[in-house]
Amino acid sequence: HEGQVVSAQELTVLLQPLFTQNSRNLVLFLQDRLSIDDFTYFSESYGNKNPFQNEILQSSPSSLVLPAVDCKATSYLLSALQESGDWKLTNVTNLNVSQLEVNASNPNLLVVQLQPLASDLKEISTLEAIAENDKIIGRVTMDLQERGINFSVIYTAVRPSRISRRTDVVAESRRQLMAAEEEESVSYPPLNVTTGNDTCILFYATNFSLKANSSVLIDLTNATFLTQNVDISASACSGSNTTLSLKYTKPVNGISSLEIRFLMTNKFYEGSARQWSTLHSVEIVQDGDKFAKFNVSSISAPAEYSFHCQLVGTSNLYPARLVPFNNEAKNWDVFISELQIQGFNIINNQFSYASDCTGFFTPGIWMGLVTSIILLWILTYGIHMIMQLTTNSRFDDPKGPALSVPQTE
């Protein structure tokens, strides 16, 4: 129904027939963002070429469309199926359908990671991404049908691409609603690195993407925070130096391995008489031999705090920039949104107070100050001119002789 958001428990009840039937083969196509409005917005009625060409929903003997599902329902469903123990989980990342091994006698759960619909890098249009994902869905389902395997399909996403907001509420309530929706859209915890029972590194981002040679887009958000298909065993922690190592196996076609290192230092500075934590550099190692290094600007915070920045990357427009150190680094573009990282003094496995990269004097504050100074100068000049005005000390008498004012006066 309109306005109803299906919770994780309700979704499990609705999908219960999939778990109780004889042949249990479930294919989960997972995107980063998707909303029910995308199917109409990107259709031919809006002048676009309809990217949704598959008719698997119409050809299916039974189907279910849920316009709004809780953001946490997908991760809850995956964890519930894995805890049950009967399902064989297979993560399909390289999209090589011909090598899929499906034993129809046992329950199978195939999780297909689709490429992101839209990235803030703005290089691949959303329409093209949807069309490519539609082809992937077609290849997987067609291959299973040709093998004679009965299966069910779930097409969903980690978070919504559009949030419907009512227009008949007052502005104050709407701001509160928007803030609550933004909080609910965050459906995954930060990545943590532990030494023993203590957490020594916390890392979080809403979008973690790379681009190789200005052409190959690598979205590592889901692999890092949702499915956690990342190896962090090479990370190291100490009181003065911390390294966060993220290793990915076959993140995209053409790259067999990718390692990203965040090197942080903790030093005492006499000028401020306190310890400061600094993200010193970022390194990218492709296939074990191609080494790219970036120097980092404007990423530091008191050692007791975490660091947060809205945009971090190689672009000159970002407040915190990654500057290429060697020639190999020039082949990479990095984009991280809503970065928060802490490598020292973590208490209760939670981020400490965040030191933001945005300075006190933002462009808006500077604009207001300059405008105020100009208006104040105009007001001062006007008052000064008014104070210079003088009145006549002598006046003509119509009944007497004409008033004569000497030039000396």
Side-chain angles (χ1 to χ4, degrees):
H1 301 287
E2 182 180 0
Q4 178 187 3
V5 178
V6 178
S7 65
Q9 290 77 10
E10 291 173 335
L11 179 64
T12 305
V13 174
L14 291 172
L15 299 180
Q16 193 62 35
L18 300 180
F19 311 145
T20 56
Q21 61 187 358
N22 295 329
S23 177
R24 293 185 295 172
N25 296 298
L26 184 60
V27 184
L28 176 61
F29 293 102
L30 191 60
Q31 281 184 175
D32 60 336
R33 301 174 185 178
L34 183 67
S35 292
I36 194 69
D37 294 337
D38 292 335
F39 292 91
T40 54
Y41 182 80
F42 294 106
S43 64
E44 294 179 355
S45 59
Y46 278 80
N48 301 319
K49 183 179 179 181
N50 191 357
F52 302 101
Q53 299 294 331
N54 281 317
E55 297 182 356
I56 187 171
L57 188 66
Q58 289 76 13
S59 61
S60 174
S62 62
S63 60
L64 176 65
V65 178
L66 302 175
V69 181
D70 190 287
C71 294
K72 300 179 181 179
T74 302
S75 57
Y76 177 84
L77 176 64
L78 284 173
S79 61
L81 291 176
Q82 293 179 29
E83 290 174 0
S84 65
D86 328 354
W87 295 80
K88 178 185 177 183
L89 176 63
T90 304
N91 287 301
V92 184
T93 55
N94 56 4
L95 305 176
N96 193 350
V97 182
S98 60
Q99 296 181 358
L100 280 178
E101 297 181 1
V102 180
N103 185 2
S105 60
N106 298 321
N108 294 279
L109 174 59
L110 306 178
V111 180
V112 182
Q113 298 285 345
L114 301 175
Q115 69 171 347
L117 279 189
S119 171
D120 291 329
L121 293 172
K122 301 298 181 184
E123 294 294 336
I124 299 179
S125 69
T126 304
L127 194 64
E128 294 174 352
I130 291 179
E132 183 62 29
N133 290 342
D134 188 71
K135 294 177 182 178
I136 295 171
I137 294 174
R139 288 200 301 266
V140 175
T141 55
M142 185 63 67
D143 181 77
L144 295 177
Q145 287 176 348
E146 291 176 353
R147 299 187 194 183
I149 299 174
N150 295 324
F151 62 94
S152 301
V153 171
I154 297 178
Y155 182 27
T156 186
V158 179
R159 52 189 179 271
S161 60
R162 304 168 190 275
I163 299 178
S164 301
R165 299 184 175 92
R166 295 177 56 190
T167 58
D168 56 344
V169 293
V170 295
E172 193 171 350
S173 299
R174 181 164 60 248
R175 285 195 295 269
Q176 295 174 357
L177 265 177
M178 290 169 64
E181 286 166 349
E182 288 177 358
E183 291 178 0
E184 292 177 359
S185 65
V186 179
S187 57
Y188 49 79
L191 179 71
N192 64 81
V193 178
T194 59
T195 55
N197 297 326
D198 298 327
T199 300
C200 63
I201 303 175
L202 287 174
F203 174 66
Y204 176 82
T206 57
N207 194 336
F208 183 26
S209 303
L210 307 177
K211 181 174 284 189
N213 300 318
S214 302
S215 59
V216 181
L217 179 63
I218 309 171
D219 192 330
L220 302 174
T221 309
N222 292 339
T224 305
F225 302 103
L226 182 66
T227 60
Q228 293 191 354
N229 293 327
V230 56
D231 180 13
I232 57 175
S233 59
S235 301
C237 301
S238 68
S240 58
N241 295 281
T242 295
T243 301
L244 172 62
S245 174
L246 307 174
K247 293 182 180 179
Y248 305 89
T249 302
K250 293 184 178 180
V252 292
N253 291 332
I255 298 179
S256 60
S257 66
L258 186 67
E259 181 182 6
I260 304 172
R261 305 188 195 118
F262 295 84
L263 284 73
M264 293 172 281
T265 59
N266 183 18
K267 293 182 179 180
F268 180 82
Y269 291 87
E270 297 180 355
S272 59
R274 69 183 306 170
Q275 298 276 349
W276 283 81
S277 170
T278 304
L279 180 58
H280 186 264
S281 61
V282 175
E283 300 174 352
I284 300 176
V285 182
Q286 177 188 345
D287 299 330
D289 56 354
K290 297 181 180 179
F291 176 78
K293 182 178 179 180
F294 299 87
N295 289 331
V296 183
S297 64
S298 305
I299 298 187
S300 61
E304 299 82 10
Y305 295 170
S306 63
F307 177 84
H308 172 266
C309 195
Q310 291 79 8
L311 294 174
V312 178
T314 51
S315 173
N316 295 327
L317 303 177
Y318 298 160
R321 187 171 175 238
L322 304 182
V323 182
F325 179 76
N326 56 7
N327 292 330
E328 187 65 30
K330 297 178 181 178
N331 298 327
W332 290 92
D333 293 322
V334 182
F335 173 80
I336 308 175
S337 64
E338 297 298 337
L339 168 72
Q340 188 166 3
I341 190 169
Q342 184 174 356
F344 305 94
N345 302 316
I346 297 175
I347 302 175
N348 296 329
N349 299 329
Q350 294 181 350
F351 279 115
S352 303
Y353 177 84
S355 175
D356 202 275
C357 63
T358 302
F360 180 77
F361 287 97
T362 62
I365 293 178
W366 279 114
M367 185 180 298
L369 287 175
V370 171
T371 304
S372 300
I373 292 173
I374 293 175
L375 293 177
L376 184 61
W377 181 82
I378 294 175
L379 177 63
T380 304
Y381 179 77
I383 294 175
H384 176 73
M385 295 300 294
I386 291 175
M387 292 177 63
Q388 297 299 318
L389 295 177
T390 58
T391 58
N392 294 331
S393 59
R394 299 178 184 180
F395 300 93
D396 278 330
D397 185 1
K399 297 181 180 180
L403 181 63
S404 176
V405 180
Q407 291 184 356
T408 57
E409 297 184 10

